[in-house]
Amino acid sequence: MYSDKVMDHFSNPRNVGEIENADGVGEVGNASCGDIMKIFLTVEDNVIKDVKFKTFGCGAAIATSSMVTEMAIGKTIEEALELTNAAVAEALDGLPPQKLHCSNLAADALHEAIKNYKEKHGE
């Protein structure tokens, strides 16, 4: 059902936690499945230096949160905005069709954090 990468990121999630005084924070949820994701960013010179997440949800939600943080670190704000829901699922070697909405939340939470960062910096 789940790929080895999904199971690895679920069992050993990367970048779990909160960043105090984060440069950007984004939170999204899906009422139909109950998943809630919150992503925190630290940005220096337009590059994402650190990303942390807190997720309440299923294994796929935790795995996609973990993967999107890994994908975002080191990218410019513009590059991170190009990360798509499909790219997150692909990086995990796919998700079952009924769990694809979870990858949508991870990319959306990242984009919301970037939006929050831009608002704080008058962009």
Side-chain angles (χ1 to χ4, degrees), residues 1-108:
M1 182 167 169
Y2 289 115
S3 71
D4 289 342
K5 280 188 182 177
V6 171
M7 293 307 295
D8 180 41
H9 277 269
F10 167 66
S11 300
N12 307 292
R14 283 68 151 180
N15 307 306
V16 176
E18 218 172 299
I19 298 173
E20 282 192 39
N21 303 311
D23 295 318
V25 180
E27 184 173 353
V28 296
N30 183 323
S32 67
C33 68
D35 294 340
I36 300 169
M37 296 178 182
K38 194 168 190 178
I39 291 192
F40 305 83
L41 301 176
T42 299
V43 181
E44 292 176 22
D45 299 323
N46 203 47
V47 175
I48 297 173
K49 294 294 184 183
D50 194 15
V51 185
K52 300 279 188 232
F53 79 91
K54 292 178 88 175
T55 293
F56 176 82
C58 66
I62 292 166
T64 56
S65 297
S66 174
M67 179 56 82
V68 83
T69 64
E70 290 278 283
M71 295 172 78
I73 292 173
K75 289 195 172 12
T76 66
I77 291 296
E78 293 75 22
E79 290 169 336
L81 280 171
E82 292 177 15
L83 289 175
T84 64
N85 304 328
V88 175
E90 186 178 313
L92 288 166
D93 293 336
L95 289 168
Q98 69 273 24
K99 293 296 182 180
L100 279 174
H101 64 276
C102 299
S103 65
N104 294 350
L105 287 180
D108 290 347

